[in-house]
Amino acid sequence: SQYFRTMTSEETEAQNPEASQENAGAESQNPKETQNNGEAAQQAGVQGMDIVADCDGVITTMIVRKGVPCVTEGQQVHKGDILVTGAVPVVNDAGETTGYQFHQSEADIRAQVLMDYQESCDLSYESKEYIHQEKEELYLQIGEHIFWLGSHGNRFPNAEELTIQNRLRIGKHFYLPVSWGKKVTLPYKSTQVKYSENKLQSILSEEYSRFTDNLTKKGVEIIENNVKIYTGSKKAEARGTLTVLTPIGTLAQSQLLEIPVIEEQDETGE
């Protein structure tokens, strides 16, 4: 951690009386010099890290270990809002801010968040009925050149292809650019079969369970479920919202803050 503050004229004069006398005239001509020096010191120092909201929500619990809280429990926050700042003000005996200490903020923050959910499934699936007309084609490959032995080509409208390849080698590890093998073609008849209503519900329920299991592993607690299944002409869809209690906040570089200018008073208090 590191902090910066504006030095008073007495401290400057005590450290370097000659330089103080030489610059006295310039200081009287530029009343903003003290403020500019403070900002330059901030820019030269190590900046802290804020915790900012990564989604909209209502803060439910907040335990801050480092930094200064900027929100309270029960407060509505929006994505990008600063929840905890790493710029901790330093005040003098008069209660005036003279600088900032910069920290990396640390806090455990949870919020109630409204989360959208959507998952879809086709109403039908492809069913394959394999035809017992397998076709095997042998080939020899030398470098990039392939030589087919016998007829080559696939005359079936729907088919799966399986290639089995062997490569020539010398010993255990030295392979030559020569290989041979065969390609097996498995033709099939394709039909579209509709899912039953129970099967559609089962598929969408399994996807929803996987989604909520992943949330639980991340420390998210579901407190309300408003997800329903809708069936269209081509797809069935589970959609709605979940109300969850979730950790909130991500680190972002602290913003530079202006150090207030403290005007000096003479002995008469003016």
Side-chain angles (χ1 to χ4, degrees):
S1 302
Q2 186 174 0
Y3 76 92
F4 304 93
R5 67 182 182 85
T6 306
M7 297 180 64
T8 63
S9 58
E10 288 82 356
E11 291 173 326
T12 304
E13 186 173 338
Q15 292 183 6
N16 192 350
E18 294 181 0
S20 176
Q21 292 176 0
E22 292 175 358
N23 295 331
E27 289 178 356
S28 61
Q29 295 176 2
N30 187 2
K32 293 186 178 180
E33 183 176 352
T34 302
Q35 180 181 2
N36 293 337
N37 286 342
E39 293 175 354
Q42 279 188 310
Q43 295 173 359
V46 177
Q47 282 202 316
M49 300 295 288
D50 297 337
I51 298 177
V52 301
D54 51 359
C55 61
D56 297 348
V58 177
I59 302 299
T60 56
T61 60
M62 189 171 188
I63 301 174
V64 179
R65 291 184 295 274
K66 281 187 179 180
V68 179
C70 299
V71 296
T72 58
E73 294 182 5
Q75 181 174 339
Q76 173 75 45
V77 297
H78 301 282
K79 184 176 181 179
D81 288 349
I82 298 177
L83 307 179
V84 180
T85 177
V88 180
V90 178
V91 298
N92 58 18
D93 294 338
E96 300 166 322
T97 300
T98 59
Y100 293 90
Q101 288 182 332
F102 292 97
H103 302 271
Q104 178 168 308
S105 300
E106 293 182 10
D108 294 327
I109 309 172
R110 293 177 69 84
Q112 179 174 309
V113 174
L114 193 64
M115 179 180 296
D116 292 327
Y117 177 82
Q118 184 175 359
E119 186 64 49
S120 63
C121 174
D122 290 333
L123 295 182
S124 61
Y125 64 96
E126 182 185 23
S127 175
K128 298 179 180 179
E129 181 183 351
Y130 290 92
I131 304 172
H132 299 291
Q133 295 182 7
E134 293 185 6
K135 178 183 178 182
E136 293 187 359
E137 301 171 272
L138 302 179
Y139 70 91
L140 174 66
Q141 181 173 355
I142 302 176
E144 298 180 356
H145 302 283
I146 300 177
F147 305 93
W148 295 95
L149 306 179
S151 63
H152 172 61
N154 179 13
R155 59 183 177 84
F156 302 102
N158 298 305
E160 294 179 354
E161 294 182 346
L162 173 65
T163 301
I164 301 173
Q165 185 181 60
N166 301 286
R167 192 169 179 181
L168 185 63
R169 70 180 182 183
I170 299 176
K172 293 183 178 180
H173 306 292
F174 186 73
Y175 288 89
L176 298 176
V178 178
S179 60
W180 69 96
K182 65 179 179 179
K183 183 176 73 172
V184 181
T185 302
L186 305 173
Y188 63 87
K189 181 181 178 181
S190 175
T191 56
Q192 291 293 320
V193 180
K194 285 189 175 183
Y195 288 114
S196 66
E197 185 176 343
N198 289 338
K199 184 61 177 178
L200 285 172
Q201 186 172 357
S202 175
I203 293 173
L204 293 173
S205 295
E206 288 177 5
E207 290 296 329
Y208 175 80
S209 295
R210 278 193 285 268
F211 177 78
T212 55
D213 287 344
N214 287 332
L215 291 181
T216 301
K217 292 177 183 178
K218 297 176 182 178
V220 179
E221 178 185 352
I222 299 174
I223 60 177
E224 188 176 350
N225 174 8
N226 290 316
V227 176
K228 297 181 180 180
I229 295 177
Y230 302 89
T231 303
S233 59
K234 296 182 178 180
K235 291 180 178 292
E237 187 176 60
R239 67 175 183 268
T241 58
L242 299 172
T243 304
V244 301
L245 295 178
T246 179
I248 187 175
T250 185
L251 288 174
Q253 193 173 47
S254 295
Q255 299 179 5
L256 285 174
L257 303 175
E258 290 187 1
I259 300 176
V261 177
I262 302 175
E263 297 183 358
E264 298 181 9
Q265 298 182 346
D266 56 24
E267 295 180 357
T268 62
E270 297 180 354

